[in-house]
Amino acid sequence: MLTELPAWKALENHWRAMQGTHLRSLFAGDPARAADFVVDAAGIYFDFSKSRTTRDTLPLLIDLANQCGLAEHIQAMFRGEKINRTEDRAVLHVALRAPRGAGIVVDGENVVPKVHEVLDRMAQFAGRLRSGEWKGHTGKPIRNVVNVGIGGSDLGPVMAYEALRHYSRRDGLPDQVFRFVSNVDGTDFAEATRDLDPEETLFVISSKTFTTIETMTNAESARRWALARLVSEAAVAKHFVAVSTNAEAVSRFGIDTANMFGFWDWVGGRYSMDSAIGLSTMLAIGPENFQSMLAGFHAMDEHFRIAPFAKNLPVVMGLLAVWNNNFLGADTVAVLPYDQYLKRFPAYLQQLTMESNGKSVTLAGEALAGGTPAGGSADYQTGPIYFGEPGTNGQHSFYQLLHQGTRVVPCDFIGFAQSLNPLGEHHDLLMANMFAQAEALAFGKSKEEVIAEGTPDWLAPHRVFQGNRPSNSLLLERLTPHALGRLVALYEHSVFTQGVIWNINSFDQWGVELGKKLANSIVKELQNDKTPKPLLQRYRQLRKA
């Protein structure tokens, strides 16, 4: 049991000894803290000096990682062992970005050649589309690409497209329009296609089984929308491609299976943006930039696999997340990218983190009711709630709670030294805000400081900032495809680290199944005048009004 491990108990004692210690005093008593509480690796400068830790904390957390067998778990994943026990699957998103010629074996087969076979087919198709060689049914080139998926088949592609829009350029042809449809709400499809010409539009239908109800409902609507103009059923093959493994269903839909791009059951949806699910990303940024993104993923994979824990970015980040969650009692995390291109990154991380580690049973099936922080109980909390917004927008929204609210919310600040769109002093002002927010959260402002500024006594309590709010700062040189790959892989492996410590399965998602099954049965009830449920009766009445 995790809470019975000697390292856990040592951390409990360490936390108790730290009670009342403020970040102001930690910095005052350790002049080298800002320089030493840093991991600088794989092109990411990770500053955790403003975390509520001492020089003893990280070694104690590493002891916990060792006692939980983290090193062996890492190697088991890279060896292709079936660490997703509840689904009896390997977990090998790392194979999706392994270089050509590498060897990663699943069930006695090296899967890397198959990965590159799909990547090569994707690159060939992307080259034809981006050059204008691929034409629609009426002979017009494709200008509009609409990705239809949900969950990992949407959040990854849309995040990557927004993050890398700077690199979405075409030579000699008008810029493409990229849209993403995920919600089964008809409004999502209607707004995505309202101003598009079917003759110039390609749909990428992303569904491994080609049965996901939201995706296939939208796919059928897309089919009807296209054929209303194009008429001929033969047009489907020129305006639809599939990311799927169900060749029969794809063919029945009308898509040429030569334009079907597959992936494997050892790729989880939320870990699939660098598989064929990333086809729309490749169409937007081109094969070379997509390969650069994969190289960034791989660079972080190798760092995670071989770096000693004290200098291992995902391990340190993951262990600090465990510290904040289980000892500080912080049940939320704010991810705050100071780059407008990363506006969808917090939403992407919500699925990555909360679908992975939102679990309340251990790998052995033991229930975790959730004990109080550092309470010595066998119960403990697992995945925290993630949210966020780009800076500086968030500063004028929820930062009030971060600074003066009753809850402690650890923050990840993400910034880049170079702007992709230099404009006067904009970037220095942006980054000054990021650095200032981290300092303000850490050090705050005392009542004495407020009064010294001339604030009346009655107003002073309202202008006090308690401080002692923990944060990490991640600084990269420039937002490139390679940098995005490194950043996403960092969070992937941090999530893995946390899951190993909590002894949970970070790679299944049974919690999303029940609601989907109930929805299928309720659809039939909605068509029944005699449904016994008052809420459904009222819905039917309002719908008919």
Side-chain angles (χ1 to χ4, degrees), residues 273-293:
M273 62 172 281
D274 46 355
S275 71
I277 290 295
L279 178 61
S280 61
T281 307
M282 185 184 284
L283 294 176
I285 66 175
E288 289 186 7
N289 281 321
F290 194 86
Q291 285 292 345
S292 179
M293 183 180 74

Side-chain angles (χ1 to χ4, degrees), residues 80-93 106-107 208-209 263-271 355-356 359 361-363 504-513 516-517:
E81 294 183 16
K82 295 181 178 180
I83 62 173
N84 179 351
R85 298 184 195 173
T86 62
E87 296 179 310
D88 193 32
R89 293 175 180 172
V91 175
L92 271 183
H93 40 282
V106 178
D107 293 330
K208 182 186 288 187
T209 62
F263 53 111
W264 304 270
D265 66 2
W266 39 259
V267 181
R270 57 194 174 277
Y271 296 91
E355 195 168 86
S356 294
K359 311 294 169 59
V361 295
T362 68
L363 283 167
I504 58 177
N505 185 355
S506 298
F507 303 106
D508 61 12
Q509 55 279 333
W510 299 107
V512 306
E513 298 297 326
K516 292 196 294 187
K517 290 181 179 179

